[in-house]
Amino acid sequence: MGPPHIPAMPMDERVTDAAHGGTPPAQSATTFSRLRAALRGTGSMAAVLGVAVLLVLGAGEWATRDELDTQWDNLRRSGEVQALALRGVATRYSYLPFTAAQQPLVAALLRDPDSRSVRDAANTYLQTVNAHAGSDTLYVMDANGLTLASSNWNTPSSFVDQNYSNRPYFRDALQGLAGRFYGVGKTTGEPGLFASAPVYDDGKVIGVVAVKVQMQPIVDTWAQLRDPVFLADERGILFLGSVAPWLYKTTRPLSAQDVLQVQHDEQYGARWAPQPVPWQVRQRDDQPGVELKLPSSGKNYLAFEEPLPDLGWTLTLTADSKVVAQARQQAWVLATLASGLLVLGALYWQLRERRLQENRQARIELEQRVLERTHALQQAQAFRQSMEDSLLVGMRARDLEGRIVYVNAAMCDMVGYSADELIGCLPPYPYWHPDDLDRHWNDSDTALAGKAAPQGNENRLRHRNGSDVYTMFYTAQLIDGDGKHIGWMSSVVDITAQKRAEEQQQQREAQLQRVQRVITVGEMASTLAHELNQPLAALVNYAAAARSLAAQGKTELLNDSLTALSAQALRAADIVGRIRRWVRQHPEAREPCDLNAAVDQSLDLLLRAEARRHGVVVRLDLAQASLQVHADRVLLEQVVLNLGLNALQAMQAMQTAAKALHTATHPQELLLRTTTDAGQASLQVLDRGPGLPPEIAERLFEPFFTTRSDGLGLGLNICRSIVESMGGELLARNREGGGAIFEIRLPQAPTP
């Protein structure tokens, strides 16, 4: 069954009269008016075609801009995630050199490097610490850069007796700074991130402790991405990335001084020489990034830079720009379909107007008009057939029984069968997918019953060559010229490329989730190590007391110490479980608890004993009524205990400084106060210490920031995270008259 016939205006209006040998005057006037109407119709069609062309071009431009915005947004979000992961890896082991530098054994080795027993002990210590920390290599250098001890002392690539005095991280640590440096190892030839810290003896730097960390896990993650990702140092040299041939090449010209400095430091190997990256940069003024053009492969990439100023690096993420071209082409296809429908509508309107004009013509012209109209109809039919064959959207017509009566060329190309093979077929059709037969039967029966969804149905077809084709079917009634329902017409759109793009997007999201899980595990480990410190210290004290009481034969006191020791062990296990649930964000860890009771429990645990040891008076100003809050009781007690110990240490440090300067200080007092206001329960820890200078107050809650030489800088950061997980906030400010105030605010729970 072919497409329905469409009547058209005759192409020529040559009417002759054999009797008169010419054209009658009335017929000449009629012919002139019809010719003028035809010219007006031609102008209207030109306008419609012009609008159709503008629609196609505008759709392509809009799709291009929309896809560019989407790609830049994806790159920006990926850059934030990757930057977070890089910072986590770069700072994960920064504490290790500082911690090892505090070990007396390291200072003893630097003071007496010729002692074999000290050196062996230092090697064993570094090997043990390195194995537990999971870093690559931990080693100690003297003031001349010579390695005295290393965690890999017993391996063929040992750092012992190697000199690294030309490395920047050694020079920075020798100046009393924390060093960080990425480069190729002089001994192993393997690249890595180096972090260093100075070793002091009587206020003088006598050596350097350094750690080497492999960043290969980051590269392995990048290698799974479809498009290149790379990292450049402050000089613009690529030193980490998913494309190995690009490593250690320069993104911009280097000065002679920079080249000499890199070669002197042997940062990228002893034979490194500057070579430019193999791409050309095209700046986009209206875009947040640039375009990289690779002449060797012919590929173009959108490149987005994420600066990491705290590390001195620049992260660049790319996306293949061909997806933009694909979006533009898809928009052109859809716009062409819409334009085709517009042209068909305009043709129908024009032909209808012409038919009305023809009905008004005199009966004398009827025979001639029929002949000429037949000729025009043939031309219109040929035009419409050509237009349908040029469409990229498949068309399929079926009769009321489901027999295929018409398919266009696009439909045949979509399924790999010719029109002769498809016309006349009843369900099941040869292109139905064998794994989806039940769904195909259901969709076919629904469509033939006139219940097809107006938004279309998605179907998976099987191409003749065996490949899968994903399509959208849109079905409407097929009406003949008499207005009778004779079947169903379906338009079929190939969405295979769109499905592939959705699968790739799901893969990228899964990769981002894996990176986020790695970051979460690191935070959990830091939190657990810090929170277990206090119950473990109490365990040690109770164990020492029990040993002493056992030696003295004081059985009753011994039983009390053992009972307290067991309670602290259970408390440590409780902390582990609750921190694990907190990190996983399990809300069931919260329960109604009394804020005043949490203060009393913290005093009984350790705070009151520590206050007596420091000579500090503890004063309580608690609310008369019970202050009920929804919180994790054990974690809340840990926060109160941590804040109280910090206050005692601050006052002790101030008292020591005052004695050295022979100056007077405020009376040593620790005040714990609970209040309630507007549905908020508040606990304030007030001390008479040195207070919070502005430069310290700004960084107070940053991880690994501390003013104590023996601190890790995790306590306040963990305390704030715990309070915020309970729906509250932790604030800090200076106290009037000297000292500091740390305040916990939590939503007040209804009193049971």
Side-chain angles (χ1 to χ4, degrees):
M1 176 179 176
H5 293 291
I6 301 178
M9 192 70 184
M11 300 297 293
D12 192 1
E13 290 290 349
R14 295 172 294 179
V15 180
T16 60
D17 191 315
H20 295 86
T23 304
Q27 287 181 287
S28 299
T30 302
T31 302
F32 177 76
S33 62
R34 294 169 65 187
L35 179 60
R36 182 172 56 188
L39 291 175
R40 288 199 300 269
T42 303
S44 300
M45 283 304 302
V48 171
L49 290 174
V51 171
V53 172
L54 291 177
L55 176 62
V56 173
L57 296 178
E61 180 64 21
W62 174 84
T64 300
R65 292 184 176 274
D66 182 70
E67 185 62 28
L68 279 173
D69 292 341
T70 300
Q71 292 298 322
W72 288 127
D73 186 59
N74 290 340
L75 289 174
R76 185 180 297 106
R77 286 183 294 172
S78 298
E80 293 174 356
V81 174
Q82 296 292 350
L84 186 61
L86 281 171
R87 287 191 175 94
V89 173
T91 59
R92 181 180 178 183
Y93 295 99
S94 59
Y95 75 93
L96 198 55
F98 175 81
T99 303
Q102 313 306 315
Q103 173 59 241
L105 183 60
V106 173
L109 173 64
L110 292 170
R111 288 192 296 267
D112 187 11
D114 296 329
S115 174
R116 187 63 186 178
S117 60
V118 175
R119 177 173 293 201
D120 291 342
N123 282 328
T124 302
Y125 165 76
L126 295 175
Q127 187 177 32
T128 302
V129 172
N130 184 73
H132 282 283
S135 54
D136 187 59
T137 309
L138 183 65
Y139 52 103
V140 178
M141 296 167 285
D142 63 13
N144 296 318
L146 182 65
T147 304
L148 302 180
S150 174
S151 61
N152 64 353
W153 61 274
N154 58 347
T155 65
S157 57
S158 172
F159 286 8
V160 177
D161 295 332
Q162 299 292 328
N163 193 292
Y164 302 110
S165 60
N166 65 325
R167 293 294 200 172
Y169 68 86
F170 173 78
R171 297 195 296 267
D172 291 342
L174 209 57
Q175 298 298 322
L177 305 174
R180 183 184 291 116
F181 172 78
Y182 184 93
V184 176
K186 293 176 60 176
T187 303
T188 63
E190 296 292 333
L193 180 65
F194 296 85
S196 62
V199 180
Y200 289 95
D201 186 16
D202 294 333
K204 178 182 178 182
V205 178
I206 62 173
V208 174
V209 178
V211 64
K212 180 181 179 182
V213 181
Q214 294 284 353
M215 298 188 72
Q216 189 60 35
I218 291 291
V219 178
D220 294 340
T221 300
W222 290 350
Q224 299 176 14
L225 301 179
R226 182 187 63 180
D227 300 318
V229 180
F230 49 87
L231 195 63
D233 62 14
E234 68 275 6
R235 296 184 177 92
I237 302 175
L238 302 187
F239 65 89
L240 202 65
S242 58
V243 182
W246 295 356
L247 294 182
Y248 312 135
K249 289 183 170 55
T250 60
T251 60
R252 60 175 181 266
L254 301 183
S255 65
Q257 182 179 357
D258 285 342
V259 172
L260 291 176
Q261 186 64 49
V262 174
Q263 292 175 343
H264 173 267
D265 297 341
E266 298 183 49
Q267 184 171 4
Y268 303 119
R271 298 182 180 180
W272 176 86
Q275 294 182 7
V277 291
W279 63 64
Q280 299 173 358
V281 179
R282 177 187 173 190
Q283 186 68 41
R284 291 176 170 265
D285 296 335
D286 58 341
Q287 299 295 333
V290 299
E291 185 174 350
L292 305 182
K293 182 176 182 181
L294 277 67
S296 60
S297 62
K299 290 187 176 181
N300 293 336
Y301 291 97
L302 302 176
F304 179 79
E305 293 184 351
E306 179 73 20
L308 306 175
D310 51 335
L311 301 176
W313 300 340
T314 301
L315 174 65
T316 303
L317 297 97
T318 65
D320 197 335
S321 60
K322 70 179 181 181
V323 297
V324 179
Q326 292 174 352
R328 180 170 57 248
Q329 292 173 357
Q330 292 175 357
W332 282 345
V333 170
L334 295 177
T336 301
L337 174 61
S339 301
L341 296 176
L342 177 64
V343 172
L344 288 175
L347 280 174
Y348 174 78
W349 175 83
Q350 183 183 18
L351 294 175
R352 179 177 176 277
E353 290 297 319
R354 289 181 180 179
R355 186 167 58 244
L356 291 176
Q357 292 177 8
E358 291 169 359
N359 291 334
R360 300 187 192 102
Q361 300 303 318
R363 298 173 62 182
I364 193 173
E365 301 175 355
L366 182 57
E367 183 178 357
Q368 184 65 30
R369 287 174 56 198
V370 170
L371 295 175
E372 293 177 354
R373 191 187 317 166
T374 302
H375 176 68
L377 181 59
Q378 293 173 349
Q379 291 185 334
Q381 183 176 352
F383 172 74
R384 180 170 179 175
Q385 184 65 46
S386 299
M387 183 162 49
E388 289 184 358
D389 290 341
S390 66
L391 288 176
L392 298 178
V393 175
M395 305 293 294
R396 182 196 67 185
R398 299 186 295 174
D399 62 16
L400 296 176
E401 296 179 356
R403 181 181 288 102
I404 297 177
V405 295
Y406 168 75
V407 288
N408 68 344
M411 182 67 186
C412 294
D413 293 339
M414 202 175 297
V415 298
Y417 294 93
S418 65
D420 293 338
E421 293 174 307
L422 295 177
I423 293 177
C425 289
L426 286 168
Y429 304 125
Y431 51 78
W432 279 7
H433 200 285
D435 297 339
D436 299 340
L437 288 179
D438 291 342
R439 179 172 182 177
H440 286 305
W441 276 112
N442 180 67
D443 290 346
S444 178
D445 294 341
T446 301
L448 293 177
K451 299 179 181 179
Q455 67 271 19
N457 292 322
E458 181 179 334
N459 281 294
R460 180 174 59 161
L461 307 182
R462 174 61 61 85
H463 194 275
R464 189 168 192 167
N465 61 11
S467 62
D468 292 347
V469 180
Y470 294 89
T471 60
M472 287 294 296
F473 275 75
Y474 302 90
T475 302
Q477 290 185 353
L478 183 62
I479 308 297
D480 66 4
D482 297 331
K484 181 181 178 181
H485 177 206
I486 61 174
W488 306 94
M489 176 64 75
S490 298
S491 59
V492 187
V493 180
D494 188 344
I495 60 170
T496 304
Q498 177 183 343
K499 296 289 289 186
R500 298 289 186 266
E502 291 175 356
E503 293 174 358
Q504 293 174 358
Q505 180 64 24
Q506 291 174 357
Q507 293 174 0
R508 287 194 293 267
E509 291 176 356
Q511 292 168 358
L512 292 178
Q513 291 173 1
R514 285 197 295 271
V515 173
Q516 292 170 351
R517 286 196 296 270
V518 171
I519 296 172
T520 301
V521 170
E523 292 179 351
M524 183 178 70
S526 298
T527 302
L528 187 61
H530 184 274
E531 291 302 323
L532 283 177
N533 185 50
Q534 293 167 352
L536 290 179
L539 285 173
V540 172
N541 291 336
Y542 283 126
R547 187 183 298 111
S548 176
L549 293 172
Q552 298 174 16
K554 299 180 179 180
T555 306
E556 182 178 354
L557 295 177
L558 175 60
N559 289 333
D560 293 340
S561 296
L562 292 177
T563 301
L565 189 147
S566 177
Q568 289 299 319
L570 293 175
R571 179 176 179 80
D574 196 11
I575 289 174
V576 171
R578 291 183 180 256
I579 289 182
R580 180 172 57 189
R581 290 194 297 272
W582 169 64
V583 171
R584 293 180 178 176
Q585 298 182 352
H586 285 185
E588 62 269 16
R590 299 188 192 177
E591 58 186 2
C593 60
D594 186 1
L595 194 58
N596 291 340
V599 174
D600 293 336
Q601 181 65 19
S602 300
L603 288 172
D604 294 339
L605 282 175
L606 190 60
L607 202 55
R608 199 184 304 277
E610 284 295 309
R612 286 196 298 269
R613 189 171 67 85
H614 288 285
V616 176
V617 176
V618 178
R619 189 162 64 89
L620 299 180
D621 183 11
L622 304 181
Q624 295 297 325
S626 172
L627 296 184
Q628 293 291 325
V629 295
H630 278 297
D632 188 307
R633 178 182 54 79
V634 173
L635 292 180
L636 180 59
E637 292 172 2
Q638 288 297 117
V639 172
V640 177
L641 184 59
N642 198 321
L643 295 179
L645 293 176
N646 284 350
L648 293 176
Q649 292 169 355
M651 288 187 287
Q652 180 64 27
M654 184 175 180
Q655 185 71 13
T656 302
K659 289 180 178 179
L661 298 175
H662 303 288
T663 58
T665 62
H666 290 287
Q668 299 296 292
E669 176 189 79
L670 175 63
L671 173 61
L672 299 177
R673 175 190 298 157
T674 59
T675 60
T676 179
D677 181 25
Q680 291 283 326
S682 171
L683 166 61
Q684 296 179 349
V685 180
L686 301 91
D687 63 51
R688 285 299 183 182
L692 303 173
E695 64 274 9
I696 293 179
E698 293 178 356
R699 305 183 58 191
L700 197 59
F701 296 103
E702 291 184 9
F704 302 111
F705 173 76
T706 180
T707 58
R708 304 201 311 267
S709 60
D710 58 343
L712 291 179
L714 291 174
L716 289 178
N717 177 264
I718 295 173
C719 288
R720 185 176 66 174
S721 299
I722 292 174
V723 175
E724 290 178 350
S725 72
M726 300 175 185
E729 58 180 342
L730 177 59
L731 307 175
R733 61 184 182 274
N734 285 314
R735 182 181 182 183
E736 184 177 355
I741 302 175
F742 284 82
E743 182 177 7
I744 301 172
R745 294 181 181 177
L746 292 169
Q748 189 171 3
T751 303

PDB file of all heavy atoms in Angstrom, residues 81-103:
ATOM      1  N   VAL A  81      35.696  16.590  42.498  1.00  0.00           N
ATOM      2  CA  VAL A  81      35.881  15.278  43.124  1.00  0.00           C
ATOM      3  C   VAL A  81      37.330  14.825  43.030  1.00  0.00           C
ATOM      4  O   VAL A  81      37.938  14.359  44.005  1.00  0.00           O
ATOM      5  CB  VAL A  81      34.938  14.240  42.476  1.00  0.00           C
ATOM      6  CG1 VAL A  81      35.227  12.839  43.010  1.00  0.00           C
ATOM      7  CG2 VAL A  81      33.490  14.604  42.758  1.00  0.00           C
ATOM      8  N   GLN A  82      37.927  14.968  41.815  1.00  0.00           N
ATOM      9  CA  GLN A  82      39.314  14.539  41.639  1.00  0.00           C
ATOM     10  C   GLN A  82      40.264  15.383  42.487  1.00  0.00           C
ATOM     11  O   GLN A  82      41.256  14.867  43.027  1.00  0.00           O
ATOM     12  CB  GLN A  82      39.704  14.631  40.150  1.00  0.00           C
ATOM     13  CG  GLN A  82      38.928  13.694  39.238  1.00  0.00           C
ATOM     14  CD  GLN A  82      39.252  12.241  39.481  1.00  0.00           C
ATOM     15  OE1 GLN A  82      40.192  11.925  40.207  1.00  0.00           O
ATOM     16  NE2 GLN A  82      38.470  11.348  38.899  1.00  0.00           N
ATOM     17  N   ALA A  83      39.978  16.696  42.595  1.00  0.00           N
ATOM     18  CA  ALA A  83      40.829  17.550  43.426  1.00  0.00           C
ATOM     19  C   ALA A  83      40.761  17.124  44.886  1.00  0.00           C
ATOM     20  O   ALA A  83      41.768  17.120  45.603  1.00  0.00           O
ATOM     21  CB  ALA A  83      40.407  19.013  43.276  1.00  0.00           C
ATOM     22  N   LEU A  84      39.566  16.750  45.342  1.00  0.00           N
ATOM     23  CA  LEU A  84      39.425  16.277  46.717  1.00  0.00           C
ATOM     24  C   LEU A  84      40.225  15.007  46.942  1.00  0.00           C
ATOM     25  O   LEU A  84      40.892  14.835  47.968  1.00  0.00           O
ATOM     26  CB  LEU A  84      37.941  16.048  47.021  1.00  0.00           C
ATOM     27  CG  LEU A  84      37.594  15.684  48.474  1.00  0.00           C
ATOM     28  CD1 LEU A  84      37.997  16.799  49.417  1.00  0.00           C
ATOM     29  CD2 LEU A  84      36.095  15.412  48.596  1.00  0.00           C
ATOM     30  N   ALA A  85      40.172  14.105  45.956  1.00  0.00           N
ATOM     31  CA  ALA A  85      40.934  12.859  46.074  1.00  0.00           C
ATOM     32  C   ALA A  85      42.433  13.136  46.088  1.00  0.00           C
ATOM     33  O   ALA A  85      43.185  12.529  46.856  1.00  0.00           O
ATOM     34  CB  ALA A  85      40.580  11.919  44.921  1.00  0.00           C
ATOM     35  N   LEU A  86      42.902  14.056  45.227  1.00  0.00           N
ATOM     36  CA  LEU A  86      44.329  14.388  45.194  1.00  0.00           C
ATOM     37  C   LEU A  86      44.783  14.981  46.524  1.00  0.00           C
ATOM     38  O   LEU A  86      45.856  14.647  47.035  1.00  0.00           O
ATOM     39  CB  LEU A  86      44.599  15.372  44.054  1.00  0.00           C
ATOM     40  CG  LEU A  86      44.692  14.767  42.647  1.00  0.00           C
ATOM     41  CD1 LEU A  86      44.740  15.863  41.605  1.00  0.00           C
ATOM     42  CD2 LEU A  86      45.911  13.872  42.529  1.00  0.00           C
ATOM     43  N   ARG A  87      43.966  15.887  47.068  1.00  0.00           N
ATOM     44  CA  ARG A  87      44.354  16.479  48.358  1.00  0.00           C
ATOM     45  C   ARG A  87      44.412  15.407  49.443  1.00  0.00           C
ATOM     46  O   ARG A  87      45.263  15.449  50.323  1.00  0.00           O
ATOM     47  CB  ARG A  87      43.350  17.564  48.745  1.00  0.00           C
ATOM     48  CG  ARG A  87      43.476  18.842  47.903  1.00  0.00           C
ATOM     49  CD  ARG A  87      42.649  19.973  48.503  1.00  0.00           C
ATOM     50  NE  ARG A  87      42.847  21.217  47.792  1.00  0.00           N
ATOM     51  CZ  ARG A  87      42.062  21.630  46.809  1.00  0.00           C
ATOM     52  NH1 ARG A  87      41.026  20.890  46.426  1.00  0.00           N
ATOM     53  NH2 ARG A  87      42.300  22.775  46.186  1.00  0.00           N
ATOM     54  N   GLY A  88      43.473  14.451  49.377  1.00  0.00           N
ATOM     55  CA  GLY A  88      43.506  13.386  50.372  1.00  0.00           C
ATOM     56  C   GLY A  88      44.772  12.565  50.297  1.00  0.00           C
ATOM     57  O   GLY A  88      45.389  12.242  51.306  1.00  0.00           O
ATOM     58  N   VAL A  89      45.205  12.202  49.060  1.00  0.00           N
ATOM     59  CA  VAL A  89      46.427  11.409  48.899  1.00  0.00           C
ATOM     60  C   VAL A  89      47.647  12.237  49.283  1.00  0.00           C
ATOM     61  O   VAL A  89      48.589  11.742  49.926  1.00  0.00           O
ATOM     62  CB  VAL A  89      46.538  10.908  47.443  1.00  0.00           C
ATOM     63  CG1 VAL A  89      47.885  10.233  47.219  1.00  0.00           C
ATOM     64  CG2 VAL A  89      45.415   9.934  47.150  1.00  0.00           C
ATOM     65  N   ALA A  90      47.655  13.525  48.868  1.00  0.00           N
ATOM     66  CA  ALA A  90      48.838  14.358  49.100  1.00  0.00           C
ATOM     67  C   ALA A  90      49.059  14.655  50.578  1.00  0.00           C
ATOM     68  O   ALA A  90      50.197  14.838  51.021  1.00  0.00           O
ATOM     69  CB  ALA A  90      48.709  15.662  48.314  1.00  0.00           C
ATOM     70  N   THR A  91      47.957  14.732  51.354  1.00  0.00           N
ATOM     71  CA  THR A  91      48.096  15.086  52.774  1.00  0.00           C
ATOM     72  C   THR A  91      47.946  13.888  53.709  1.00  0.00           C
ATOM     73  O   THR A  91      48.071  14.048  54.920  1.00  0.00           O
ATOM     74  CB  THR A  91      47.038  16.139  53.142  1.00  0.00           C
ATOM     75  OG1 THR A  91      45.726  15.595  52.886  1.00  0.00           O
ATOM     76  CG2 THR A  91      47.225  17.396  52.309  1.00  0.00           C
ATOM     77  N   ARG A  92      47.685  12.725  53.141  1.00  0.00           N
ATOM     78  CA  ARG A  92      47.392  11.561  53.979  1.00  0.00           C
ATOM     79  C   ARG A  92      48.566  11.185  54.868  1.00  0.00           C
ATOM     80  O   ARG A  92      48.401  10.802  56.021  1.00  0.00           O
ATOM     81  CB  ARG A  92      47.011  10.382  53.079  1.00  0.00           C
ATOM     82  CG  ARG A  92      46.667   9.116  53.846  1.00  0.00           C
ATOM     83  CD  ARG A  92      46.302   8.001  52.885  1.00  0.00           C
ATOM     84  NE  ARG A  92      46.021   6.763  53.602  1.00  0.00           N
ATOM     85  CZ  ARG A  92      45.729   5.623  53.007  1.00  0.00           C
ATOM     86  NH1 ARG A  92      45.684   5.563  51.689  1.00  0.00           N
ATOM     87  NH2 ARG A  92      45.488   4.535  53.713  1.00  0.00           N
ATOM     88  N   TYR A  93      49.780  11.267  54.327  1.00  0.00           N
ATOM     89  CA  TYR A  93      50.961  10.854  55.076  1.00  0.00           C
ATOM     90  C   TYR A  93      51.814  12.037  55.527  1.00  0.00           C
ATOM     91  O   TYR A  93      52.961  11.847  55.906  1.00  0.00           O
ATOM     92  CB  TYR A  93      51.812   9.914  54.218  1.00  0.00           C
ATOM     93  CG  TYR A  93      51.133   8.617  53.896  1.00  0.00           C
ATOM     94  CD1 TYR A  93      50.506   8.414  52.666  1.00  0.00           C
ATOM     95  CD2 TYR A  93      51.099   7.577  54.819  1.00  0.00           C
ATOM     96  CE1 TYR A  93      49.877   7.215  52.360  1.00  0.00           C
ATOM     97  CE2 TYR A  93      50.471   6.375  54.524  1.00  0.00           C
ATOM     98  CZ  TYR A  93      49.854   6.198  53.296  1.00  0.00           C
ATOM     99  OH  TYR A  93      49.238   5.026  53.006  1.00  0.00           O
ATOM    100  N   SER A  94      51.256  13.276  55.445  1.00  0.00           N
ATOM    101  CA  SER A  94      52.058  14.434  55.831  1.00  0.00           C
ATOM    102  C   SER A  94      52.406  14.414  57.324  1.00  0.00           C
ATOM    103  O   SER A  94      53.371  15.047  57.743  1.00  0.00           O
ATOM    104  CB  SER A  94      51.302  15.717  55.474  1.00  0.00           C
ATOM    105  OG  SER A  94      50.052  15.738  56.140  1.00  0.00           O
ATOM    106  N   TYR A  95      51.603  13.697  58.113  1.00  0.00           N
ATOM    107  CA  TYR A  95      51.890  13.628  59.546  1.00  0.00           C
ATOM    108  C   TYR A  95      53.054  12.695  59.851  1.00  0.00           C
ATOM    109  O   TYR A  95      53.687  12.796  60.903  1.00  0.00           O
ATOM    110  CB  TYR A  95      50.639  13.122  60.280  1.00  0.00           C
ATOM    111  CG  TYR A  95      50.404  11.641  60.098  1.00  0.00           C
ATOM    112  CD1 TYR A  95      50.900  10.695  61.000  1.00  0.00           C
ATOM    113  CD2 TYR A  95      49.707  11.173  58.983  1.00  0.00           C
ATOM    114  CE1 TYR A  95      50.700   9.357  60.821  1.00  0.00           C
ATOM    115  CE2 TYR A  95      49.503   9.823  58.793  1.00  0.00           C
ATOM    116  CZ  TYR A  95      50.003   8.913  59.714  1.00  0.00           C
ATOM    117  OH  TYR A  95      49.797   7.587  59.520  1.00  0.00           O
ATOM    118  N   LEU A  96      53.339  11.735  58.946  1.00  0.00           N
ATOM    119  CA  LEU A  96      54.271  10.655  59.256  1.00  0.00           C
ATOM    120  C   LEU A  96      55.692  11.167  59.501  1.00  0.00           C
ATOM    121  O   LEU A  96      56.328  10.782  60.494  1.00  0.00           O
ATOM    122  CB  LEU A  96      54.243   9.617  58.127  1.00  0.00           C
ATOM    123  CG  LEU A  96      54.826   8.243  58.470  1.00  0.00           C
ATOM    124  CD1 LEU A  96      54.164   7.656  59.698  1.00  0.00           C
ATOM    125  CD2 LEU A  96      54.642   7.285  57.279  1.00  0.00           C
ATOM    126  N   PRO A  97      56.282  12.027  58.617  1.00  0.00           N
ATOM    127  CA  PRO A  97      57.626  12.527  58.910  1.00  0.00           C
ATOM    128  C   PRO A  97      57.677  13.314  60.225  1.00  0.00           C
ATOM    129  O   PRO A  97      58.635  13.207  60.992  1.00  0.00           O
ATOM    130  CB  PRO A  97      57.947  13.412  57.707  1.00  0.00           C
ATOM    131  CG  PRO A  97      57.038  12.955  56.635  1.00  0.00           C
ATOM    132  CD  PRO A  97      55.816  12.504  57.309  1.00  0.00           C
ATOM    133  N   PHE A  98      56.627  14.131  60.465  1.00  0.00           N
ATOM    134  CA  PHE A  98      56.601  14.926  61.689  1.00  0.00           C
ATOM    135  C   PHE A  98      56.566  14.012  62.919  1.00  0.00           C
ATOM    136  O   PHE A  98      57.271  14.248  63.903  1.00  0.00           O
ATOM    137  CB  PHE A  98      55.388  15.844  61.653  1.00  0.00           C
ATOM    138  CG  PHE A  98      55.197  16.633  62.919  1.00  0.00           C
ATOM    139  CD1 PHE A  98      55.917  17.794  63.149  1.00  0.00           C
ATOM    140  CD2 PHE A  98      54.306  16.197  63.889  1.00  0.00           C
ATOM    141  CE1 PHE A  98      55.734  18.501  64.317  1.00  0.00           C
ATOM    142  CE2 PHE A  98      54.127  16.907  65.050  1.00  0.00           C
ATOM    143  CZ  PHE A  98      54.848  18.063  65.266  1.00  0.00           C
ATOM    144  N   THR A  99      55.750  12.951  62.846  1.00  0.00           N
ATOM    145  CA  THR A  99      55.648  12.033  63.983  1.00  0.00           C
ATOM    146  C   THR A  99      56.951  11.288  64.216  1.00  0.00           C
ATOM    147  O   THR A  99      57.432  11.148  65.346  1.00  0.00           O
ATOM    148  CB  THR A  99      54.500  11.038  63.737  1.00  0.00           C
ATOM    149  OG1 THR A  99      53.292  11.776  63.518  1.00  0.00           O
ATOM    150  CG2 THR A  99      54.320  10.127  64.931  1.00  0.00           C
ATOM    151  N   ALA A 100      57.549  10.800  63.115  1.00  0.00           N
ATOM    152  CA  ALA A 100      58.806  10.054  63.251  1.00  0.00           C
ATOM    153  C   ALA A 100      59.928  10.964  63.760  1.00  0.00           C
ATOM    154  O   ALA A 100      60.842  10.511  64.457  1.00  0.00           O
ATOM    155  CB  ALA A 100      59.192   9.434  61.916  1.00  0.00           C
ATOM    156  N   ALA A 101      59.878  12.255  63.404  1.00  0.00           N
ATOM    157  CA  ALA A 101      60.925  13.169  63.844  1.00  0.00           C
ATOM    158  C   ALA A 101      60.905  13.377  65.361  1.00  0.00           C
ATOM    159  O   ALA A 101      61.907  13.809  65.942  1.00  0.00           O
ATOM    160  CB  ALA A 101      60.775  14.512  63.135  1.00  0.00           C
ATOM    161  N   GLN A 102      59.767  13.089  66.012  1.00  0.00           N
ATOM    162  CA  GLN A 102      59.685  13.244  67.463  1.00  0.00           C
ATOM    163  C   GLN A 102      60.257  12.029  68.201  1.00  0.00           C
ATOM    164  O   GLN A 102      60.395  12.053  69.423  1.00  0.00           O
ATOM    165  CB  GLN A 102      58.216  13.446  67.880  1.00  0.00           C
ATOM    166  CG  GLN A 102      57.447  14.467  67.055  1.00  0.00           C
ATOM    167  CD  GLN A 102      58.128  15.796  66.993  1.00  0.00           C
ATOM    168  OE1 GLN A 102      58.596  16.306  68.018  1.00  0.00           O
ATOM    169  NE2 GLN A 102      58.225  16.383  65.795  1.00  0.00           N
ATOM    170  N   GLN A 103      60.546  10.949  67.496  1.00  0.00           N
ATOM    171  CA  GLN A 103      61.053   9.725  68.122  1.00  0.00           C
ATOM    172  C   GLN A 103      62.483   9.958  68.633  1.00  0.00           C
ATOM    173  O   GLN A 103      63.377  10.340  67.874  1.00  0.00           O
ATOM    174  CB  GLN A 103      61.029   8.596  67.089  1.00  0.00           C
ATOM    175  CG  GLN A 103      61.684   7.309  67.528  1.00  0.00           C
ATOM    176  CD  GLN A 103      61.040   6.746  68.775  1.00  0.00           C
ATOM    177  OE1 GLN A 103      61.710   6.609  69.789  1.00  0.00           O
ATOM    178  NE2 GLN A 103      59.747   6.432  68.706  1.00  0.00           N
TER     179      GLN A 103
END
